[in-house]
Amino acid sequence: QLQLVESGGGLVQPGGSLRLSCAASGSTLDFYVIGWFRQAPGKEREGVSCISYSGEKLMSADSVKGRFTLSRDNAKNMVYLQMNSLKPEDTAVYYCAAERSPMRDFCTLIRRHYDYWGQGTQVTVSS
């Protein structure tokens, strides 16, 4: 059973950067689609960025394009979300999610496609 643990969240000033990590255990990340989602207080959980199992296909929400970069290291069973030029509206709990998809190299920001979720890490952007 795949387990995911996020880390790297914290308090950062507007314009600052953070790198979130997602560590997988219980299985290798080979053939898993990975997505990052976030949920702000009182709001629905939304897709931020995703990456296919090969790493060749990526997708990002318009709100983070050009600022957030998702990468993966299957050998280390790790996924990273580099967040630059952070804004107060990026404040949320960030979740890593995974879905096994050996037959199709794709990714999606649709939440219901993902079976495995981490516990989340808080990101607060404030001066």
Side-chain angles (χ1 to χ4, degrees), residues 105-124:
D105 190 31
F106 84 113
C107 81
T108 178
L109 295 179
I110 299 175
R111 189 175 66 183
R112 62 178 173 84
H113 281 276
Y114 292 87
D115 287 338
Y116 303 96
W117 292 82
Q119 83 292 346
T121 185
Q122 175 71 46
V123 172
T124 302

Side-chain angles (χ1 to χ4, degrees), residues 49-67:
S49 189
C50 64
I51 187 168
S52 66
Y53 72 73
S54 71
E56 294 182 1
K57 298 180 180 177
L58 298 105
M59 188 184 303
S60 293
D62 288 343
S63 58
V64 306
K65 280 181 181 176
R67 301 188 297 122

Side-chain angles (χ1 to χ4, degrees), residues 13 16 25 29 33 39 45-47 52 55 61 71 78 81 90 98 103 105 110 114:
Q13 292 187 341
S25 62
L29 283 179
V33 179
Q39 188 166 19
R45 191 172 299 187
E46 63 174 355
S52 66
S71 62
M78 296 290 295
L81 182 67
D90 294 319
M103 303 304 291
D105 190 31
I110 299 175
Y114 292 87

